[in-house]
């Protein structure tokens, strides 16, 4: 069996067996990738250019869009290239880079989602203190802490994963390099060391999820006490999209990283990976803009400005 010192590349999961299906998957992934780039790019540009969106909620939405761009750009381009060029290979260094960037963007995104729940809690439950608790300096500090936490977690996870001796070959049962799949290739006596670090990360993730749930319990209690139906509708329209994104993100990530080996299969793993690595970055711009009048107005203004420049 090869060990980690003799492995120079990994073989990723092929999305299809026939050439025709590989090309079909390439065009499908390209469409998804371009949609994600367009959606998150428009959100980022609209928030950056429209001064009316220079508020804490949209500042964190801008961070989320940038992280979504990074997350999907870490996985899909390599999968598209492999499908187009009829190959499965990724270099050892490329695999390590893919993991460190993916975990970085994923961890930072979850921190930003947690902060966004705090933002909604303060806006609805403590509106008189909103300017004090979420001033520009506080927002910048929280965003920097989210990005820094993601980077620290990514470096620790990647370093620990690739310090394991690999004795089970170099075939990865996923379309991108993923920590659970690399762990499967490790020797049995080293398996539990990395699992311990993953469990600690999951516990931290669960703590953030509890914070999000408690925040929304308080938010819904406050919203239901509002006398104005219009006020309740506005509050729900800003909270429900965030709650939908968090629910999809947390459920799929937890299942991907904690599912028992007995129910593992390439198709199930591929489906779950697509749900947490591709679907959120693609759907987040739609979820956050479909019922948001401010975003719609900013996007309309941005498109009108772009069309005027072309004329």
């Amino acid at each position: 069996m090869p060990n980690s010192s003799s492995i120079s590349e990994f073989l990723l999961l092929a999305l299809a067996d026939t050439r025709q299906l590989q090309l079909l998957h390439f065009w499908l992934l390209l469409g998804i990738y371009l949609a994600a780039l367009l959606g998150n790019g428009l959100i980022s540009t609209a928030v950056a250019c429209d001064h009316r969106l220079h508020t804490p909620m949209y500042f964190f939405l801008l961070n989320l869009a940038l992280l979504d761009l990074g997350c999907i750009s870490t996985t899909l381009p390599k999968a598209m290239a492999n499908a187009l060029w009829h190959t499965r290979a990724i270099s050892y260094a490329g695999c390590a880079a893919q993991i460190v960037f993916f975990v970085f963007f994923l961890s930072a995104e979850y921190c930003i989602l947690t902060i966004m729940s705090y933002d909604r809690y303060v806006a609805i439950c403590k509106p008189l203190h909103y300017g004090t608790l979420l001033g520009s300096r506080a927002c910048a500090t929280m965003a920097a802490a989210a990005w820094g936490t993601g980077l620290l977690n990514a470096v620790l996870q990647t370093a620990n994963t690739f310090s394991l001796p690999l004795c089970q070959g170099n075939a990865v049962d996923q379309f991108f390099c993923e920590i659970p799949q690399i762990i499967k290739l490790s020797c049995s006596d080293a398996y539990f060391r990395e699992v311990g670090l993953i469990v600690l990360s999951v516990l931290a993730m669960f703590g953030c999820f509890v914070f999000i749930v408690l925040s929304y319990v308080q938010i819904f209690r406050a919203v239901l006490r509002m006398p104005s139906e219009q006020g309740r509708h506005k509050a729900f329209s800003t909270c429900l999209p965030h709650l939908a994104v968090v629910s999809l993100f947390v459920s799929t990530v937890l299942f991907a990283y904690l599912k028992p080996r007995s129910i593992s299969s390439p198709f199930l793993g591929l489906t779950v990976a697509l749900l947490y690595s591709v679907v959120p970055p693609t759907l987040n711009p739609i979820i956050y803009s479909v019922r948001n009048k401010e975003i719609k107005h900013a996007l309309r203004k941005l498109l009108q400005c772009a069309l005027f420049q072309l004329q």
Side-chain angles (χ1 to χ4, degrees):
M1 287 290 181
N3 56 38
S4 54
S5 62
S6 65
I7 292 177
S8 60
E9 67 177 18
F10 292 94
L11 298 178
L12 300 175
L13 180 69
L15 295 175
D17 297 327
T18 64
R19 187 62 183 148
Q20 290 79 8
L21 283 177
Q22 285 179 340
L23 292 175
L24 177 63
H25 282 113
F26 166 76
W27 289 110
L28 180 62
L29 293 178
L30 179 61
I32 293 172
Y33 185 55
L34 292 177
L37 289 182
L38 178 63
N40 288 289
L42 285 174
I43 292 288
S44 302
T45 307
V47 173
C49 295
D50 195 326
H51 69 278
R52 288 176 298 182
L53 300 183
H54 293 175
T55 62
M57 183 178 79
Y58 294 110
F59 171 72
F60 295 127
L61 182 59
L62 170 62
N63 279 265
L64 183 68
L66 294 175
L67 290 168
D68 279 336
L69 283 173
C71 188
I72 200 167
S73 296
T74 302
T75 57
L76 282 198
K78 181 59 179 174
M80 288 188 295
N82 283 2
L84 182 63
W85 301 114
H86 192 46
T87 181
R88 296 172 53 198
I90 183 172
S91 67
Y92 188 91
C95 184
Q98 199 171 57
I99 285 181
V100 74
F101 280 110
F102 185 69
V103 175
F104 164 52
F105 289 125
L106 208 66
S107 303
E109 179 167 339
Y110 189 57
C111 292
I112 289 293
L113 288 172
T114 305
I115 295 170
M116 290 175 77
S117 70
Y118 174 70
D119 167 72
R120 292 298 82 209
Y121 165 74
V122 175
I124 293 173
C125 299
K126 298 180 182 295
L128 298 179
H129 302 284
Y130 189 74
T132 304
L133 295 175
L134 286 160
S136 57
R137 180 174 296 181
C139 290
T141 301
M142 286 188 284
W147 288 73
T149 301
L151 180 60
L152 178 62
N153 185 45
V155 170
L156 290 176
Q157 294 278 6
T158 306
N160 202 40
T161 299
F162 283 92
S163 68
L164 300 175
L166 305 180
C167 309
Q168 308 295 327
N170 66 338
V172 178
D173 288 333
Q174 192 53 272
F175 73 96
F176 64 95
C177 284
E178 187 184 42
I179 287 179
Q181 302 302 328
I182 301 298
I183 292 175
K184 286 183 181 180
L185 305 179
S186 66
C187 305
S188 58
D189 58 343
Y191 175 80
F192 292 101
R193 186 178 67 183
E194 173 61 18
V195 169
L197 185 57
I198 287 182
V199 169
L200 288 176
S201 299
V202 169
L203 288 175
M205 186 178 180
F206 182 73
C208 291
F209 183 68
V210 170
F211 178 85
I212 293 171
V213 170
L214 292 177
S215 297
Y216 272 97
V217 168
Q218 297 299 320
I219 287 170
F220 288 141
R221 289 178 60 187
V223 169
L224 292 175
R225 288 199 299 265
M226 288 181 178
S228 168
E229 183 177 347
Q230 184 178 4
R232 289 196 299 270
H233 180 268
K234 184 177 180 180
F236 278 126
S237 68
T238 60
C239 293
L240 291 180
H242 176 257
L243 198 57
V245 169
V246 170
S247 300
L248 175 63
F249 183 88
V250 172
S251 59
T252 51
V253 170
L254 286 178
F255 185 77
Y257 280 77
L258 294 182
K259 69 179 184 295
R261 287 188 170 189
S262 59
I263 62 170
S264 294
S265 70
F267 177 76
L268 180 62
L270 178 63
T271 303
V272 173
L274 286 171
L275 281 175
Y276 82 83
S277 67
V278 175
V279 173
T282 308
L283 292 185
N284 280 356
I286 300 172
I287 292 173
Y288 279 107
S289 61
V290 70
R291 298 183 64 185
N292 191 305
K293 292 181 180 179
E294 289 83 2
I295 288 287
K296 285 181 180 178
H297 178 77
L299 290 175
R300 193 179 300 113
K301 184 178 177 182
L302 183 67
L303 292 175
Q304 288 174 350
C305 182
L307 291 174
F308 178 78
Q309 294 292 330
L310 291 174
Q311 291 177 353

PDB file of all heavy atoms in Angstrom, residues 57-58 120 124 223 226 228-241 291-294:
ATOM      1  N   MET A  57     -26.575  45.082   8.340  1.00  0.00           N
ATOM      2  CA  MET A  57     -27.165  43.886   7.732  1.00  0.00           C
ATOM      3  C   MET A  57     -26.588  43.636   6.344  1.00  0.00           C
ATOM      4  O   MET A  57     -26.210  42.503   5.999  1.00  0.00           O
ATOM      5  CB  MET A  57     -28.687  44.033   7.642  1.00  0.00           C
ATOM      6  CG  MET A  57     -29.380  42.794   7.077  1.00  0.00           C
ATOM      7  SD  MET A  57     -31.178  42.917   7.025  1.00  0.00           S
ATOM      8  CE  MET A  57     -31.416  43.903   5.561  1.00  0.00           C
ATOM      9  N   TYR A  58     -26.475  44.678   5.543  1.00  0.00           N
ATOM     10  CA  TYR A  58     -25.968  44.511   4.183  1.00  0.00           C
ATOM     11  C   TYR A  58     -24.446  44.390   4.154  1.00  0.00           C
ATOM     12  O   TYR A  58     -23.891  43.791   3.223  1.00  0.00           O
ATOM     13  CB  TYR A  58     -26.459  45.651   3.303  1.00  0.00           C
ATOM     14  CG  TYR A  58     -27.953  45.619   3.114  1.00  0.00           C
ATOM     15  CD1 TYR A  58     -28.780  46.571   3.698  1.00  0.00           C
ATOM     16  CD2 TYR A  58     -28.551  44.598   2.378  1.00  0.00           C
ATOM     17  CE1 TYR A  58     -30.155  46.523   3.546  1.00  0.00           C
ATOM     18  CE2 TYR A  58     -29.930  44.542   2.216  1.00  0.00           C
ATOM     19  CZ  TYR A  58     -30.722  45.505   2.813  1.00  0.00           C
ATOM     20  OH  TYR A  58     -32.084  45.432   2.659  1.00  0.00           O
ATOM     21  N   ARG A 120     -29.886  40.526  13.384  1.00  0.00           N
ATOM     22  CA  ARG A 120     -31.354  40.541  13.328  1.00  0.00           C
ATOM     23  C   ARG A 120     -31.951  40.598  14.744  1.00  0.00           C
ATOM     24  O   ARG A 120     -32.983  41.241  14.955  1.00  0.00           O
ATOM     25  CB  ARG A 120     -31.867  39.302  12.601  1.00  0.00           C
ATOM     26  CG  ARG A 120     -31.566  39.238  11.120  1.00  0.00           C
ATOM     27  CD  ARG A 120     -32.203  40.386  10.339  1.00  0.00           C
ATOM     28  NE  ARG A 120     -31.421  41.606  10.405  1.00  0.00           N
ATOM     29  CZ  ARG A 120     -31.908  42.832  10.328  1.00  0.00           C
ATOM     30  NH1 ARG A 120     -33.200  43.020  10.201  1.00  0.00           N
ATOM     31  NH2 ARG A 120     -31.128  43.889  10.385  1.00  0.00           N
ATOM     32  N   ILE A 124     -34.360  43.781  15.922  1.00  0.00           N
ATOM     33  CA  ILE A 124     -35.777  43.569  16.224  1.00  0.00           C
ATOM     34  C   ILE A 124     -36.063  43.630  17.729  1.00  0.00           C
ATOM     35  O   ILE A 124     -37.073  44.192  18.150  1.00  0.00           O
ATOM     36  CB  ILE A 124     -36.237  42.218  15.641  1.00  0.00           C
ATOM     37  CG1 ILE A 124     -36.191  42.287  14.106  1.00  0.00           C
ATOM     38  CG2 ILE A 124     -37.645  41.847  16.110  1.00  0.00           C
ATOM     39  CD1 ILE A 124     -36.461  40.979  13.405  1.00  0.00           C
ATOM     40  N   VAL A 223     -41.529  39.563  17.373  1.00  0.00           N
ATOM     41  CA  VAL A 223     -42.306  39.843  16.161  1.00  0.00           C
ATOM     42  C   VAL A 223     -43.784  39.576  16.390  1.00  0.00           C
ATOM     43  O   VAL A 223     -44.647  40.357  15.964  1.00  0.00           O
ATOM     44  CB  VAL A 223     -41.775  38.991  14.988  1.00  0.00           C
ATOM     45  CG1 VAL A 223     -42.732  39.054  13.798  1.00  0.00           C
ATOM     46  CG2 VAL A 223     -40.392  39.470  14.562  1.00  0.00           C
ATOM     47  N   MET A 226     -45.692  42.348  17.933  1.00  0.00           N
ATOM     48  CA  MET A 226     -45.819  43.613  17.207  1.00  0.00           C
ATOM     49  C   MET A 226     -47.279  43.880  16.857  1.00  0.00           C
ATOM     50  O   MET A 226     -47.972  43.003  16.351  1.00  0.00           O
ATOM     51  CB  MET A 226     -44.993  43.567  15.907  1.00  0.00           C
ATOM     52  CG  MET A 226     -43.511  43.627  16.120  1.00  0.00           C
ATOM     53  SD  MET A 226     -42.621  43.594  14.524  1.00  0.00           S
ATOM     54  CE  MET A 226     -40.932  43.746  15.102  1.00  0.00           C
ATOM     55  N   SER A 228     -48.440  45.967  14.569  1.00  0.00           N
ATOM     56  CA  SER A 228     -48.623  46.244  13.154  1.00  0.00           C
ATOM     57  C   SER A 228     -48.355  45.001  12.306  1.00  0.00           C
ATOM     58  O   SER A 228     -47.306  44.359  12.443  1.00  0.00           O
ATOM     59  CB  SER A 228     -47.678  47.377  12.716  1.00  0.00           C
ATOM     60  OG  SER A 228     -47.628  47.483  11.322  1.00  0.00           O
ATOM     61  N   GLU A 229     -49.304  44.673  11.447  1.00  0.00           N
ATOM     62  CA  GLU A 229     -49.113  43.539  10.546  1.00  0.00           C
ATOM     63  C   GLU A 229     -48.005  43.827   9.544  1.00  0.00           C
ATOM     64  O   GLU A 229     -47.237  42.925   9.175  1.00  0.00           O
ATOM     65  CB  GLU A 229     -50.418  43.241   9.804  1.00  0.00           C
ATOM     66  CG  GLU A 229     -50.325  42.014   8.895  1.00  0.00           C
ATOM     67  CD  GLU A 229     -51.645  41.698   8.215  1.00  0.00           C
ATOM     68  OE1 GLU A 229     -52.673  42.266   8.618  1.00  0.00           O
ATOM     69  OE2 GLU A 229     -51.627  40.895   7.265  1.00  0.00           O
ATOM     70  N   GLN A 230     -47.887  45.079   9.107  1.00  0.00           N
ATOM     71  CA  GLN A 230     -46.819  45.454   8.185  1.00  0.00           C
ATOM     72  C   GLN A 230     -45.450  45.288   8.836  1.00  0.00           C
ATOM     73  O   GLN A 230     -44.498  44.845   8.199  1.00  0.00           O
ATOM     74  CB  GLN A 230     -47.011  46.905   7.731  1.00  0.00           C
ATOM     75  CG  GLN A 230     -45.990  47.351   6.677  1.00  0.00           C
ATOM     76  CD  GLN A 230     -46.246  48.770   6.223  1.00  0.00           C
ATOM     77  OE1 GLN A 230     -47.131  49.456   6.722  1.00  0.00           O
ATOM     78  NE2 GLN A 230     -45.447  49.232   5.268  1.00  0.00           N
ATOM     79  N   GLY A 231     -45.351  45.639  10.127  1.00  0.00           N
ATOM     80  CA  GLY A 231     -44.092  45.474  10.854  1.00  0.00           C
ATOM     81  C   GLY A 231     -43.718  44.007  10.976  1.00  0.00           C
ATOM     82  O   GLY A 231     -42.539  43.646  10.835  1.00  0.00           O
ATOM     83  N   ARG A 232     -44.709  43.157  11.257  1.00  0.00           N
ATOM     84  CA  ARG A 232     -44.443  41.720  11.355  1.00  0.00           C
ATOM     85  C   ARG A 232     -43.977  41.161  10.014  1.00  0.00           C
ATOM     86  O   ARG A 232     -43.054  40.359   9.950  1.00  0.00           O
ATOM     87  CB  ARG A 232     -45.700  40.987  11.828  1.00  0.00           C
ATOM     88  CG  ARG A 232     -46.057  41.228  13.289  1.00  0.00           C
ATOM     89  CD  ARG A 232     -47.047  40.180  13.787  1.00  0.00           C
ATOM     90  NE  ARG A 232     -48.296  40.212  13.049  1.00  0.00           N
ATOM     91  CZ  ARG A 232     -49.350  40.954  13.386  1.00  0.00           C
ATOM     92  NH1 ARG A 232     -49.288  41.738  14.460  1.00  0.00           N
ATOM     93  NH2 ARG A 232     -50.462  40.912  12.673  1.00  0.00           N
ATOM     94  N   HIS A 233     -44.633  41.610   8.939  1.00  0.00           N
ATOM     95  CA  HIS A 233     -44.264  41.127   7.606  1.00  0.00           C
ATOM     96  C   HIS A 233     -42.833  41.526   7.252  1.00  0.00           C
ATOM     97  O   HIS A 233     -42.053  40.723   6.716  1.00  0.00           O
ATOM     98  CB  HIS A 233     -45.243  41.688   6.568  1.00  0.00           C
ATOM     99  CG  HIS A 233     -44.949  41.246   5.165  1.00  0.00           C
ATOM    100  ND1 HIS A 233     -44.134  41.978   4.308  1.00  0.00           N
ATOM    101  CD2 HIS A 233     -45.323  40.139   4.463  1.00  0.00           C
ATOM    102  CE1 HIS A 233     -44.039  41.350   3.159  1.00  0.00           C
ATOM    103  NE2 HIS A 233     -44.756  40.239   3.213  1.00  0.00           N
ATOM    104  N   LYS A 234     -42.459  42.771   7.561  1.00  0.00           N
ATOM    105  CA  LYS A 234     -41.104  43.240   7.257  1.00  0.00           C
ATOM    106  C   LYS A 234     -40.064  42.469   8.060  1.00  0.00           C
ATOM    107  O   LYS A 234     -39.005  42.102   7.546  1.00  0.00           O
ATOM    108  CB  LYS A 234     -40.995  44.738   7.544  1.00  0.00           C
ATOM    109  CG  LYS A 234     -39.644  45.322   7.166  1.00  0.00           C
ATOM    110  CD  LYS A 234     -39.600  46.820   7.392  1.00  0.00           C
ATOM    111  CE  LYS A 234     -38.227  47.376   6.993  1.00  0.00           C
ATOM    112  NZ  LYS A 234     -38.156  48.857   7.208  1.00  0.00           N
ATOM    113  N   ALA A 235     -40.383  42.218   9.349  1.00  0.00           N
ATOM    114  CA  ALA A 235     -39.440  41.484  10.193  1.00  0.00           C
ATOM    115  C   ALA A 235     -39.248  40.055   9.689  1.00  0.00           C
ATOM    116  O   ALA A 235     -38.120  39.558   9.591  1.00  0.00           O
ATOM    117  CB  ALA A 235     -39.938  41.476  11.641  1.00  0.00           C
ATOM    118  N   PHE A 236     -40.352  39.399   9.339  1.00  0.00           N
ATOM    119  CA  PHE A 236     -40.255  38.030   8.828  1.00  0.00           C
ATOM    120  C   PHE A 236     -39.519  37.982   7.490  1.00  0.00           C
ATOM    121  O   PHE A 236     -38.777  37.036   7.216  1.00  0.00           O
ATOM    122  CB  PHE A 236     -41.645  37.415   8.684  1.00  0.00           C
ATOM    123  CG  PHE A 236     -42.205  36.857   9.959  1.00  0.00           C
ATOM    124  CD1 PHE A 236     -43.450  37.255  10.419  1.00  0.00           C
ATOM    125  CD2 PHE A 236     -41.487  35.934  10.703  1.00  0.00           C
ATOM    126  CE1 PHE A 236     -43.974  36.729  11.596  1.00  0.00           C
ATOM    127  CE2 PHE A 236     -41.999  35.407  11.882  1.00  0.00           C
ATOM    128  CZ  PHE A 236     -43.243  35.814  12.331  1.00  0.00           C
ATOM    129  N   SER A 237     -39.722  38.994   6.649  1.00  0.00           N
ATOM    130  CA  SER A 237     -39.090  38.991   5.323  1.00  0.00           C
ATOM    131  C   SER A 237     -37.580  39.105   5.416  1.00  0.00           C
ATOM    132  O   SER A 237     -36.861  38.655   4.508  1.00  0.00           O
ATOM    133  CB  SER A 237     -39.652  40.135   4.472  1.00  0.00           C
ATOM    134  OG  SER A 237     -39.247  41.393   4.981  1.00  0.00           O
ATOM    135  N   THR A 238     -37.055  39.705   6.492  1.00  0.00           N
ATOM    136  CA  THR A 238     -35.601  39.809   6.656  1.00  0.00           C
ATOM    137  C   THR A 238     -35.028  38.627   7.427  1.00  0.00           C
ATOM    138  O   THR A 238     -33.836  38.350   7.311  1.00  0.00           O
ATOM    139  CB  THR A 238     -35.224  41.110   7.386  1.00  0.00           C
ATOM    140  OG1 THR A 238     -35.845  41.131   8.678  1.00  0.00           O
ATOM    141  CG2 THR A 238     -35.655  42.329   6.597  1.00  0.00           C
ATOM    142  N   CYS A 239     -35.859  37.915   8.188  1.00  0.00           N
ATOM    143  CA  CYS A 239     -35.360  36.825   9.034  1.00  0.00           C
ATOM    144  C   CYS A 239     -35.493  35.445   8.388  1.00  0.00           C
ATOM    145  O   CYS A 239     -34.596  34.608   8.523  1.00  0.00           O
ATOM    146  CB  CYS A 239     -36.099  36.820  10.370  1.00  0.00           C
ATOM    147  SG  CYS A 239     -35.751  38.256  11.405  1.00  0.00           S
ATOM    148  N   LEU A 240     -36.608  35.188   7.722  1.00  0.00           N
ATOM    149  CA  LEU A 240     -36.851  33.852   7.177  1.00  0.00           C
ATOM    150  C   LEU A 240     -35.827  33.422   6.127  1.00  0.00           C
ATOM    151  O   LEU A 240     -35.411  32.257   6.138  1.00  0.00           O
ATOM    152  CB  LEU A 240     -38.273  33.775   6.616  1.00  0.00           C
ATOM    153  CG  LEU A 240     -39.396  33.830   7.665  1.00  0.00           C
ATOM    154  CD1 LEU A 240     -40.765  33.747   6.995  1.00  0.00           C
ATOM    155  CD2 LEU A 240     -39.238  32.707   8.687  1.00  0.00           C
ATOM    156  N   PRO A 241     -35.380  34.317   5.218  1.00  0.00           N
ATOM    157  CA  PRO A 241     -34.334  33.877   4.283  1.00  0.00           C
ATOM    158  C   PRO A 241     -33.065  33.433   4.997  1.00  0.00           C
ATOM    159  O   PRO A 241     -32.467  32.408   4.628  1.00  0.00           O
ATOM    160  CB  PRO A 241     -34.092  35.134   3.426  1.00  0.00           C
ATOM    161  CG  PRO A 241     -35.350  35.896   3.508  1.00  0.00           C
ATOM    162  CD  PRO A 241     -35.870  35.659   4.883  1.00  0.00           C
ATOM    163  N   ARG A 291     -37.295  38.764  -1.757  1.00  0.00           N
ATOM    164  CA  ARG A 291     -38.314  39.490  -0.992  1.00  0.00           C
ATOM    165  C   ARG A 291     -37.742  40.753  -0.358  1.00  0.00           C
ATOM    166  O   ARG A 291     -38.340  41.303   0.556  1.00  0.00           O
ATOM    167  CB  ARG A 291     -38.892  38.583   0.092  1.00  0.00           C
ATOM    168  CG  ARG A 291     -39.603  37.352  -0.437  1.00  0.00           C
ATOM    169  CD  ARG A 291     -40.224  36.539   0.672  1.00  0.00           C
ATOM    170  NE  ARG A 291     -41.276  37.265   1.359  1.00  0.00           N
ATOM    171  CZ  ARG A 291     -41.916  36.815   2.438  1.00  0.00           C
ATOM    172  NH1 ARG A 291     -41.597  35.643   2.945  1.00  0.00           N
ATOM    173  NH2 ARG A 291     -42.859  37.530   3.007  1.00  0.00           N
ATOM    174  N   ASN A 292     -36.606  41.214  -0.854  1.00  0.00           N
ATOM    175  CA  ASN A 292     -35.955  42.378  -0.268  1.00  0.00           C
ATOM    176  C   ASN A 292     -36.062  43.550  -1.247  1.00  0.00           C
ATOM    177  O   ASN A 292     -35.403  43.570  -2.282  1.00  0.00           O
ATOM    178  CB  ASN A 292     -34.487  42.051   0.028  1.00  0.00           C
ATOM    179  CG  ASN A 292     -33.811  43.113   0.866  1.00  0.00           C
ATOM    180  OD1 ASN A 292     -33.809  44.280   0.505  1.00  0.00           O
ATOM    181  ND2 ASN A 292     -33.240  42.703   1.979  1.00  0.00           N
ATOM    182  N   LYS A 293     -36.879  44.540  -0.899  1.00  0.00           N
ATOM    183  CA  LYS A 293     -37.126  45.670  -1.790  1.00  0.00           C
ATOM    184  C   LYS A 293     -35.873  46.519  -1.981  1.00  0.00           C
ATOM    185  O   LYS A 293     -35.634  47.033  -3.081  1.00  0.00           O
ATOM    186  CB  LYS A 293     -38.266  46.529  -1.235  1.00  0.00           C
ATOM    187  CG  LYS A 293     -39.622  45.841  -1.255  1.00  0.00           C
ATOM    188  CD  LYS A 293     -40.711  46.759  -0.713  1.00  0.00           C
ATOM    189  CE  LYS A 293     -42.071  46.056  -0.746  1.00  0.00           C
ATOM    190  NZ  LYS A 293     -43.151  46.934  -0.203  1.00  0.00           N
ATOM    191  N   GLU A 294     -35.069  46.671  -0.911  1.00  0.00           N
ATOM    192  CA  GLU A 294     -33.869  47.495  -1.019  1.00  0.00           C
ATOM    193  C   GLU A 294     -32.872  46.890  -1.998  1.00  0.00           C
ATOM    194  O   GLU A 294     -32.287  47.597  -2.828  1.00  0.00           O
ATOM    195  CB  GLU A 294     -33.208  47.668   0.359  1.00  0.00           C
ATOM    196  CG  GLU A 294     -33.963  48.561   1.319  1.00  0.00           C
ATOM    197  CD  GLU A 294     -35.072  47.822   2.046  1.00  0.00           C
ATOM    198  OE1 GLU A 294     -35.218  46.604   1.820  1.00  0.00           O
ATOM    199  OE2 GLU A 294     -35.801  48.478   2.827  1.00  0.00           O
TER     200      GLU A 294
END
